[in-house]
Amino acid sequence: MELHDVWFVLIAVLWTGYFFLEGFDFGVGVLTRLLARDRREKRVLINTIGPVWDGNEVWLLSAGGATFAAFPDWYATLFSGFYLPLLLILVCLIVRGVAFEYRAKRSDERWQTNWEHAIFWCSLLPAFLWGVAFGNIVHGVAIDADKEYVGGVLDLLNPYALLGGLLTLALFTFHGTVFAGLKTVGEIRERARKLALRLGVVTAAVAVGFLLWTQADHGKPAGAVLLVIAVGALLAALVAVARSREGWAFALSGLTIVAGVAMLFVSLFPDVMPSTLDPAWSLTAANSASSPYTLTIMTWCAGIATPVVLLYQGWTYWVFRKRIGTHHIAEAH
């Protein structure tokens, strides 16, 4: 296997890790409007991700940085062609982080309400737009012979990509609901379980439609296997939710995300951005990669740094593993 193929796999792993972790993160943000009934319950939901949300975003920085270094042509075409949606995602991530930190700085009702709206919308929009972005990457976009995107923003809003956006929004929200049930106690935990059952049915329907469409377009045997794993894990997660086995449900909903993202990258390879104008103009892992020397240095650095990051993040989740409830929130908050 060539080094550029290895780095294609590594970037796929980074995006998979990001969607697994930030997926429930976004989902909990959406739940602040769908599940919480009062300000104290919103505080409970925010506290479930409070110690980990910023660490989850490290995976996005790593995926973006690795793409820039390993596949500069892919990075340039992607970030120039998808400039507006990616800028909107970036703004949402910034505002969302500020909202987490500043919401409780003042006791004013309007102040806290505005920041709560920011948390909801800045969780919902990225959850949807990431699906639209990756739907377009897999489906293909208008790339010319100079490796430049020559389409417009409206070209990105095609049916396949929009269905992908609906899938990531539904799946992340379901993942977040399962996580909320895993991390809370009392009435909010039971409501999270009931909401997860309803969301899971909708998510399964959207997932089957999108993944079947993907398989029909690309038809790779490995993609078919991953499709079965993704749908099977999602249905098994619903069974686990119904039996109040939140740990199993969270692992299975995570497996759904892992298998779904893996299916997209398997369907994409060896391309990294297919051209709808001429297949010969598509960006591939080979023609958009950095030099072998650069990839070799990156491989050594990744081999040293990655285990340290994984150990540290795993330790963080272990330290903050306990459930919380409304009785843990002081009246002043």
Side-chain angles (χ1 to χ4, degrees), residues 28-324:
V28 171
V30 174
L31 291 180
T32 57
R33 291 287 297 274
L34 298 183
L35 183 64
R37 291 180 174 175
D38 55 34
R39 181 142 289 143
R40 181 173 287 189
E41 289 190 351
K42 291 180 181 179
R43 183 72 259 176
V44 169
L45 290 175
I46 293 172
N47 282 3
T48 62
I49 60 173
V52 298
W53 69 266
D54 47 356
N56 294 343
E57 292 186 356
V58 170
W59 289 78
L60 173 61
L61 298 176
S62 300
T67 304
F68 171 77
F71 300 99
D73 288 338
W74 183 13
Y75 181 93
T77 304
L78 175 64
F79 279 79
S80 60
F82 293 18
Y83 179 79
L84 286 179
L86 292 179
L87 177 63
L88 182 56
I89 289 174
L90 177 61
V91 170
C92 284
L93 294 179
I94 293 172
V95 173
R96 185 169 174 267
V98 173
F100 283 140
E101 299 297 333
Y102 277 77
R103 173 189 170 277
K105 295 298 183 182
R106 291 170 54 183
S107 59
D108 179 71
E109 179 78 15
R110 185 173 181 181
W111 170 272
Q112 294 196 1
T113 299
N114 288 339
W115 286 121
E116 288 163 1
H117 285 308
I119 291 172
F120 172 76
W121 288 109
C122 292
S123 299
L124 185 148
L125 287 175
F128 175 74
L129 290 174
W130 278 128
V132 173
F134 272 83
N136 278 290
I137 291 173
V138 175
H139 182 262
V141 291
I143 299 174
D144 65 13
D146 296 323
K147 300 181 180 180
E148 294 182 359
Y149 176 69
V150 293
V153 175
L154 294 181
D155 294 327
L156 302 178
L157 303 179
N158 56 80
Y160 178 80
L162 291 175
L163 184 60
L166 290 176
L167 174 58
T168 51
L169 175 58
L171 184 55
F172 291 170
T173 305
F174 172 72
H175 195 42
T177 308
V178 174
F179 180 78
L182 177 65
K183 289 288 292 178
T184 58
V185 294
E187 184 183 353
I188 193 170
R189 177 189 177 190
E190 180 60 25
R191 293 206 313 274
R193 186 185 70 84
K194 293 178 180 178
L195 180 59
L197 289 173
R198 297 195 296 271
L199 285 173
V201 173
V202 176
T203 304
V206 179
V208 169
F210 180 78
L211 296 179
L212 283 176
W213 191 343
T214 303
Q215 183 62 18
D217 282 349
H218 300 276
K220 294 183 179 179
V225 173
L226 291 167
L227 186 156
V228 172
I229 293 174
V231 175
L234 182 55
L235 295 177
L238 280 172
V239 174
V241 169
R243 296 181 178 179
S244 298
R245 301 293 298 273
E246 290 97 345
W248 279 104
F250 180 71
L252 289 165
S253 66
L255 178 58
T256 302
I257 294 175
V258 170
V261 176
M263 180 183 175
L264 294 182
F265 277 94
V266 165
S267 300
L268 185 60
F269 188 80
D271 293 332
V272 293
M273 285 190 75
S275 173
T276 56
L277 302 179
D278 187 336
W281 296 343
S282 297
L283 297 181
T284 68
N287 69 20
S288 62
S290 294
S291 68
Y293 178 78
T294 300
L295 296 178
T296 301
I297 297 298
M298 290 177 60
T299 303
W300 280 103
C301 293
I304 295 171
T306 301
V308 176
V309 174
L310 291 176
L311 286 172
Y312 174 77
Q313 194 162 25
W315 175 77
T316 302
Y317 276 91
W318 175 256
V319 169
F320 295 100
R321 67 189 181 277
K322 293 185 178 180
R323 296 175 182 266
I324 62 173

